[in-house]
Amino acid sequence: MDSHSRFTALITVDIQPDFMPGGPLAVTGGDEILESLGKLMGSDGFGLLVATQDWHPFAHISFASRHPGKNPFDVISLYGQDQVLWPDHCVQGTPGAALHGALDWHRVSAIIRKGMDPAVDSYSGFRNNWDSEGKRPKTGLAGYLRERRITDVCLCGLARDFCVKWSAEDAVDEGFNVTVIWDATRAVDPSSDEKVRADLEALGVRMAVADDLL
Ligand code: VGL
Ligand code: ZN
């Protein structure tokens, strides 16, 4: 596959115990992708491995526990945008926030931590969600990839309908050729799958399965 080269980065999104079955923000089937992620990360078809890590301070604004009377998965308006309130998850330094122990992270060149601003959520590895000034500050990931001469990115990980989707959209916006390795992702809400796929395809994101790249 032409995009599968030294100019292609594999970005693994939020592979952390808190998103696995049994975790506070369990994504159904999240553990089913680990084997395939291990193969992808071990493949020498990718020129660069990057990981994102959801990494929230204690009492982060996205936690329902911070909003009296609200429950996890309620949606509030925050800085004029919809904000889903989540169970407490991926608190900095806790075991559930670590990069998952079933995978070998040694070959990963950069780990982009996100969601560190106590007052702003961050789904994408490239930019925060909207802040109080209506801005979405960048993480520096796009610049890092460009300095490494990366033109193409392949995304996998969790969750398909949040952090993978937002990362894919921002990657397109940054000018990369973007592929989502669909079977190496899982959704918080699988009923959104069709829309997620259609939204991404409309932006020019390619859909692949892991076997295409191995
Ligand atoms: C995520 C909700 C909250 C994700 C992170 O990784 O998709 N979802 N924080
Ligand atoms: Zn989060």
Side-chain angles (χ1 to χ4, degrees):
M1 177 175 238
D2 58 354
S3 70
H4 195 223
S5 74
R6 68 197 168 96
F7 304 112
T8 303
L10 177 70
I11 304 179
T12 59
V13 177
D14 296 4
I15 304 302
Q16 298 167 259
D18 276 357
F19 295 119
M20 296 291 154
L25 183 32
V27 178
T28 305
D31 54 341
E32 295 166 4
I33 67 174
L34 292 171
E35 190 181 334
S36 151
L37 292 183
K39 289 184 191 159
L40 289 162
M41 291 168 74
S43 144
D44 41 46
F46 297 102
L48 187 70
L49 303 183
V50 173
T52 69
Q53 187 173 21
D54 211 34
W55 194 249
H56 299 306
F58 180 76
H60 189 253
I61 192 93
S62 74
F63 297 171
S65 60
R66 259 285 302 273
H67 304 267
K70 297 290 177 190
N71 295 307
F73 307 103
D74 284 353
V75 180
I76 62 166
S77 176
L78 180 66
Y79 315 132
Q81 304 286 336
D82 283 354
Q83 170 70 49
V84 180
L85 297 179
W86 304 105
D88 289 23
H89 66 279
C90 297
V91 173
Q92 294 170 6
T94 62
L99 294 176
H100 198 285
L103 294 174
D104 178 2
W105 300 96
H106 291 136
R107 294 179 63 236
V108 172
S109 296
I111 298 163
I112 302 295
R113 288 176 165 167
K114 62 188 183 61
M116 295 177 68
D117 182 332
V120 185
D121 208 355
S122 186
Y123 295 146
S124 165
F126 291 90
R127 318 180 73 155
N128 295 352
N129 297 9
W130 290 274
D131 64 16
S132 59
E133 294 169 20
K135 300 207 169 93
R136 292 190 58 209
K138 297 190 182 191
T139 62
L141 175 56
Y144 173 70
L145 295 174
R146 279 195 281 269
E147 289 205 350
R148 296 293 301 256
R149 300 291 177 264
I150 295 296
T151 53
D152 293 51
V153 302
C154 289
L155 289 153
C156 55
L158 303 173
R160 178 186 284 159
D161 43 347
F162 287 92
C163 293
V164 173
K165 179 173 196 261
W166 286 53
S167 295
E169 290 169 346
D170 287 342
V172 169
D173 202 48
E174 292 286 357
F176 296 101
N177 299 312
V178 182
T179 300
V180 168
I181 311 171
W182 187 260
D183 63 336
T185 67
R186 288 292 184 280
V188 168
D189 175 13
S191 75
S192 71
D193 279 359
E194 226 171 292
K195 179 172 164 31
V196 168
R197 206 180 165 105
D199 286 353
L200 291 175
E201 281 176 341
L203 294 175
V205 173
R206 284 199 297 173
M207 296 294 156
V209 294
D211 278 347
D212 296 342
L213 302 165
L214 290 170

